[in-house]
Amino acid sequence: MQPKKSFALVNYDICAPKKCNPDEGRCVCVKACTHKVIKQLDGFYEQPMVFQDMCMGCWDCIEACPLDAVSVRNVS
Ligand code: SF4
Ligand code: SF4
C-alpha cells in the first residue's frame, strides 16, 4: 500500500498577491517553500501554482500565507 501523501492547494478565490504583498506582489509562500515547488510562473502580482507531484506537504506555505489561501489536501 502506498503511504498517504499530502500536498498544498491554493484557493484561487481567496489568493490575491495584491492584497498580501501590495508593495511587491510577491507571493509570501514562494519564499517560505524551501522545496521550491510553489511558483509565480506569470510573474509578480499573479497567483502562484503548486507543483503538486513534488510538494512535500510540509505546511510551511500554509503557515506563511497571510490570507489563509492555502490548505493541505490528503490523498490516499
Ligand atoms: S498564496 Fe497566499 S501569500 Fe501567496 S499570493 Fe496567494 S494570498 Fe498571497
Ligand atoms: S506544503 Fe511545503 S513543499 Fe508544498 S508548496 Fe507548501 S511549503 Fe512547498
PDB file of all heavy atoms in Angstrom, residues 37-56:
ATOM      1  N   VAL A  37       8.620  24.465  -4.785  1.00  0.00           N
ATOM      2  CA  VAL A  37       7.600  23.841  -5.642  1.00  0.00           C
ATOM      3  C   VAL A  37       6.323  24.675  -5.733  1.00  0.00           C
ATOM      4  O   VAL A  37       5.323  24.208  -6.272  1.00  0.00           O
ATOM      5  CB  VAL A  37       7.282  22.399  -5.192  1.00  0.00           C
ATOM      6  CG1 VAL A  37       8.516  21.528  -5.312  1.00  0.00           C
ATOM      7  CG2 VAL A  37       6.728  22.358  -3.780  1.00  0.00           C
ATOM      8  N   ILE A  38       6.374  25.894  -5.201  1.00  0.00           N
ATOM      9  CA  ILE A  38       5.278  26.837  -5.440  1.00  0.00           C
ATOM     10  C   ILE A  38       5.909  28.059  -6.097  1.00  0.00           C
ATOM     11  O   ILE A  38       6.896  28.598  -5.593  1.00  0.00           O
ATOM     12  CB  ILE A  38       4.478  27.159  -4.146  1.00  0.00           C
ATOM     13  CG1 ILE A  38       3.400  28.205  -4.439  1.00  0.00           C
ATOM     14  CG2 ILE A  38       5.358  27.583  -2.990  1.00  0.00           C
ATOM     15  CD1 ILE A  38       2.377  28.370  -3.310  1.00  0.00           C
ATOM     16  N   LYS A  39       5.353  28.425  -7.235  1.00  0.00           N
ATOM     17  CA  LYS A  39       5.999  29.477  -8.036  1.00  0.00           C
ATOM     18  C   LYS A  39       4.960  30.401  -8.655  1.00  0.00           C
ATOM     19  O   LYS A  39       3.854  29.980  -8.974  1.00  0.00           O
ATOM     20  CB  LYS A  39       6.817  28.852  -9.172  1.00  0.00           C
ATOM     21  CG  LYS A  39       8.011  28.052  -8.696  1.00  0.00           C
ATOM     22  CD  LYS A  39       8.782  27.472  -9.862  1.00  0.00           C
ATOM     23  CE  LYS A  39       9.872  26.525  -9.431  1.00  0.00           C
ATOM     24  NZ  LYS A  39      10.996  27.125  -8.747  1.00  0.00           N
ATOM     25  N   GLN A  40       5.381  31.654  -8.847  1.00  0.00           N
ATOM     26  CA  GLN A  40       4.568  32.616  -9.608  1.00  0.00           C
ATOM     27  C   GLN A  40       5.060  32.574 -11.063  1.00  0.00           C
ATOM     28  O   GLN A  40       5.910  33.351 -11.467  1.00  0.00           O
ATOM     29  CB  GLN A  40       4.704  34.023  -9.015  1.00  0.00           C
ATOM     30  CG  GLN A  40       3.899  34.224  -7.746  1.00  0.00           C
ATOM     31  CD  GLN A  40       4.157  35.567  -7.106  1.00  0.00           C
ATOM     32  OE1 GLN A  40       5.268  35.852  -6.693  1.00  0.00           O
ATOM     33  NE2 GLN A  40       3.127  36.394  -6.996  1.00  0.00           N
ATOM     34  N   LEU A  41       4.527  31.678 -11.808  1.00  0.00           N
ATOM     35  CA  LEU A  41       5.015  31.455 -13.178  1.00  0.00           C
ATOM     36  C   LEU A  41       4.760  32.653 -14.084  1.00  0.00           C
ATOM     37  O   LEU A  41       5.516  32.899 -15.016  1.00  0.00           O
ATOM     38  CB  LEU A  41       4.346  30.214 -13.773  1.00  0.00           C
ATOM     39  CG  LEU A  41       4.723  28.880 -13.126  1.00  0.00           C
ATOM     40  CD1 LEU A  41       3.956  27.748 -13.786  1.00  0.00           C
ATOM     41  CD2 LEU A  41       6.214  28.629 -13.199  1.00  0.00           C
ATOM     42  N   ASP A  42       3.690  33.383 -13.818  1.00  0.00           N
ATOM     43  CA  ASP A  42       3.337  34.521 -14.679  1.00  0.00           C
ATOM     44  C   ASP A  42       3.882  35.843 -14.159  1.00  0.00           C
ATOM     45  O   ASP A  42       3.532  36.892 -14.681  1.00  0.00           O
ATOM     46  CB  ASP A  42       1.817  34.602 -14.840  1.00  0.00           C
ATOM     47  CG  ASP A  42       1.270  33.379 -15.560  1.00  0.00           C
ATOM     48  OD1 ASP A  42       1.973  32.865 -16.447  1.00  0.00           O
ATOM     49  OD2 ASP A  42       0.156  32.942 -15.223  1.00  0.00           O
ATOM     50  N   GLY A  43       4.708  35.787 -13.107  1.00  0.00           N
ATOM     51  CA  GLY A  43       5.327  36.999 -12.587  1.00  0.00           C
ATOM     52  C   GLY A  43       4.681  37.476 -11.302  1.00  0.00           C
ATOM     53  O   GLY A  43       3.688  36.914 -10.827  1.00  0.00           O
ATOM     54  N   PHE A  44       5.267  38.529 -10.748  1.00  0.00           N
ATOM     55  CA  PHE A  44       4.738  39.112  -9.522  1.00  0.00           C
ATOM     56  C   PHE A  44       3.325  39.645  -9.787  1.00  0.00           C
ATOM     57  O   PHE A  44       2.980  39.982 -10.916  1.00  0.00           O
ATOM     58  CB  PHE A  44       5.640  40.233  -9.029  1.00  0.00           C
ATOM     59  CG  PHE A  44       7.052  39.768  -8.761  1.00  0.00           C
ATOM     60  CD1 PHE A  44       8.125  40.590  -9.018  1.00  0.00           C
ATOM     61  CD2 PHE A  44       7.302  38.504  -8.250  1.00  0.00           C
ATOM     62  CE1 PHE A  44       9.434  40.175  -8.772  1.00  0.00           C
ATOM     63  CE2 PHE A  44       8.603  38.073  -8.005  1.00  0.00           C
ATOM     64  CZ  PHE A  44       9.664  38.913  -8.272  1.00  0.00           C
ATOM     65  N   TYR A  45       2.549  39.734  -8.725  1.00  0.00           N
ATOM     66  CA  TYR A  45       1.149  40.156  -8.762  1.00  0.00           C
ATOM     67  C   TYR A  45       0.249  39.120  -9.437  1.00  0.00           C
ATOM     68  O   TYR A  45      -0.917  39.397  -9.705  1.00  0.00           O
ATOM     69  CB  TYR A  45       0.964  41.530  -9.429  1.00  0.00           C
ATOM     70  CG  TYR A  45       1.577  42.652  -8.631  1.00  0.00           C
ATOM     71  CD1 TYR A  45       2.794  43.198  -8.979  1.00  0.00           C
ATOM     72  CD2 TYR A  45       0.934  43.128  -7.487  1.00  0.00           C
ATOM     73  CE1 TYR A  45       3.375  44.209  -8.237  1.00  0.00           C
ATOM     74  CE2 TYR A  45       1.499  44.141  -6.730  1.00  0.00           C
ATOM     75  CZ  TYR A  45       2.726  44.676  -7.113  1.00  0.00           C
ATOM     76  OH  TYR A  45       3.295  45.677  -6.357  1.00  0.00           O
ATOM     77  N   GLU A  46       0.789  37.956  -9.748  1.00  0.00           N
ATOM     78  CA  GLU A  46      -0.041  36.878 -10.305  1.00  0.00           C
ATOM     79  C   GLU A  46      -0.114  35.735  -9.295  1.00  0.00           C
ATOM     80  O   GLU A  46       0.790  35.538  -8.489  1.00  0.00           O
ATOM     81  CB  GLU A  46       0.552  36.364 -11.627  1.00  0.00           C
ATOM     82  CG  GLU A  46       0.654  37.434 -12.705  1.00  0.00           C
ATOM     83  CD  GLU A  46      -0.708  37.956 -13.151  1.00  0.00           C
ATOM     84  OE1 GLU A  46      -1.710  37.226 -13.019  1.00  0.00           O
ATOM     85  OE2 GLU A  46      -0.774  39.109 -13.618  1.00  0.00           O
ATOM     86  N   GLN A  47      -1.192  34.994  -9.347  1.00  0.00           N
ATOM     87  CA  GLN A  47      -1.376  33.911  -8.387  1.00  0.00           C
ATOM     88  C   GLN A  47      -0.353  32.791  -8.629  1.00  0.00           C
ATOM     89  O   GLN A  47      -0.008  32.503  -9.773  1.00  0.00           O
ATOM     90  CB  GLN A  47      -2.798  33.361  -8.509  1.00  0.00           C
ATOM     91  CG  GLN A  47      -3.857  34.361  -8.056  1.00  0.00           C
ATOM     92  CD  GLN A  47      -5.253  33.877  -8.336  1.00  0.00           C
ATOM     93  OE1 GLN A  47      -5.525  33.311  -9.388  1.00  0.00           O
ATOM     94  NE2 GLN A  47      -6.157  34.117  -7.409  1.00  0.00           N
ATOM     95  N   PRO A  48       0.105  32.165  -7.548  1.00  0.00           N
ATOM     96  CA  PRO A  48       1.103  31.102  -7.682  1.00  0.00           C
ATOM     97  C   PRO A  48       0.448  29.756  -7.994  1.00  0.00           C
ATOM     98  O   PRO A  48      -0.753  29.584  -7.807  1.00  0.00           O
ATOM     99  CB  PRO A  48       1.734  31.061  -6.293  1.00  0.00           C
ATOM    100  CG  PRO A  48       0.596  31.422  -5.391  1.00  0.00           C
ATOM    101  CD  PRO A  48      -0.246  32.416  -6.146  1.00  0.00           C
ATOM    102  N   MET A  49       1.257  28.841  -8.443  1.00  0.00           N
ATOM    103  CA  MET A  49       0.776  27.467  -8.580  1.00  0.00           C
ATOM    104  C   MET A  49       1.739  26.509  -7.880  1.00  0.00           C
ATOM    105  O   MET A  49       2.929  26.792  -7.748  1.00  0.00           O
ATOM    106  CB  MET A  49       0.591  27.072 -10.038  1.00  0.00           C
ATOM    107  CG  MET A  49       1.843  26.960 -10.849  1.00  0.00           C
ATOM    108  SD  MET A  49       1.567  25.982 -12.342  1.00  0.00           S
ATOM    109  CE  MET A  49       1.410  24.325 -11.680  1.00  0.00           C
ATOM    110  N   VAL A  50       1.176  25.400  -7.422  1.00  0.00           N
ATOM    111  CA  VAL A  50       1.959  24.394  -6.709  1.00  0.00           C
ATOM    112  C   VAL A  50       2.202  23.212  -7.651  1.00  0.00           C
ATOM    113  O   VAL A  50       1.271  22.720  -8.291  1.00  0.00           O
ATOM    114  CB  VAL A  50       1.202  23.891  -5.462  1.00  0.00           C
ATOM    115  CG1 VAL A  50       1.981  22.782  -4.760  1.00  0.00           C
ATOM    116  CG2 VAL A  50       0.907  25.035  -4.497  1.00  0.00           C
ATOM    117  N   PHE A  51       3.459  22.800  -7.729  1.00  0.00           N
ATOM    118  CA  PHE A  51       3.776  21.564  -8.448  1.00  0.00           C
ATOM    119  C   PHE A  51       3.488  20.414  -7.482  1.00  0.00           C
ATOM    120  O   PHE A  51       4.332  20.006  -6.694  1.00  0.00           O
ATOM    121  CB  PHE A  51       5.236  21.574  -8.915  1.00  0.00           C
ATOM    122  CG  PHE A  51       5.501  22.608  -9.967  1.00  0.00           C
ATOM    123  CD1 PHE A  51       5.896  23.890  -9.615  1.00  0.00           C
ATOM    124  CD2 PHE A  51       5.312  22.310 -11.305  1.00  0.00           C
ATOM    125  CE1 PHE A  51       6.119  24.861 -10.589  1.00  0.00           C
ATOM    126  CE2 PHE A  51       5.532  23.268 -12.292  1.00  0.00           C
ATOM    127  CZ  PHE A  51       5.935  24.550 -11.925  1.00  0.00           C
ATOM    128  N   GLN A  52       2.271  19.938  -7.563  1.00  0.00           N
ATOM    129  CA  GLN A  52       1.772  19.060  -6.509  1.00  0.00           C
ATOM    130  C   GLN A  52       2.508  17.730  -6.439  1.00  0.00           C
ATOM    131  O   GLN A  52       2.642  17.149  -5.365  1.00  0.00           O
ATOM    132  CB  GLN A  52       0.266  18.864  -6.684  1.00  0.00           C
ATOM    133  CG  GLN A  52      -0.462  20.152  -6.325  1.00  0.00           C
ATOM    134  CD  GLN A  52      -1.920  20.156  -6.710  1.00  0.00           C
ATOM    135  OE1 GLN A  52      -2.347  19.382  -7.554  1.00  0.00           O
ATOM    136  NE2 GLN A  52      -2.677  21.052  -6.112  1.00  0.00           N
ATOM    137  N   ASP A  53       2.997  17.250  -7.556  1.00  0.00           N
ATOM    138  CA  ASP A  53       3.717  15.969  -7.532  1.00  0.00           C
ATOM    139  C   ASP A  53       4.972  16.049  -6.678  1.00  0.00           C
ATOM    140  O   ASP A  53       5.431  15.035  -6.143  1.00  0.00           O
ATOM    141  CB  ASP A  53       4.124  15.550  -8.950  1.00  0.00           C
ATOM    142  CG  ASP A  53       2.931  15.057  -9.746  1.00  0.00           C
ATOM    143  OD1 ASP A  53       1.851  14.898  -9.147  1.00  0.00           O
ATOM    144  OD2 ASP A  53       3.080  14.850 -10.954  1.00  0.00           O
ATOM    145  N   MET A  54       5.548  17.248  -6.588  1.00  0.00           N
ATOM    146  CA  MET A  54       6.803  17.404  -5.850  1.00  0.00           C
ATOM    147  C   MET A  54       6.600  18.035  -4.475  1.00  0.00           C
ATOM    148  O   MET A  54       7.547  18.178  -3.712  1.00  0.00           O
ATOM    149  CB  MET A  54       7.776  18.251  -6.660  1.00  0.00           C
ATOM    150  CG  MET A  54       8.188  17.573  -7.952  1.00  0.00           C
ATOM    151  SD  MET A  54       9.380  18.538  -8.870  1.00  0.00           S
ATOM    152  CE  MET A  54       8.359  19.808  -9.546  1.00  0.00           C
ATOM    153  N   CYS A  55       5.388  18.429  -4.177  1.00  0.00           N
ATOM    154  CA  CYS A  55       5.096  19.075  -2.889  1.00  0.00           C
ATOM    155  C   CYS A  55       5.236  18.062  -1.757  1.00  0.00           C
ATOM    156  O   CYS A  55       4.760  16.931  -1.861  1.00  0.00           O
ATOM    157  CB  CYS A  55       3.680  19.642  -2.926  1.00  0.00           C
ATOM    158  SG  CYS A  55       3.125  20.290  -1.344  1.00  0.00           S
ATOM    159  N   MET A  56       5.890  18.489  -0.677  1.00  0.00           N
ATOM    160  CA  MET A  56       6.150  17.610   0.455  1.00  0.00           C
ATOM    161  C   MET A  56       5.037  17.666   1.514  1.00  0.00           C
ATOM    162  O   MET A  56       5.088  16.947   2.498  1.00  0.00           O
ATOM    163  CB  MET A  56       7.474  17.994   1.124  1.00  0.00           C
ATOM    164  CG  MET A  56       8.653  18.032   0.184  1.00  0.00           C
ATOM    165  SD  MET A  56       8.903  16.462  -0.669  1.00  0.00           S
ATOM    166  CE  MET A  56       9.564  15.477   0.670  1.00  0.00           C
TER     167      MET A  56
END
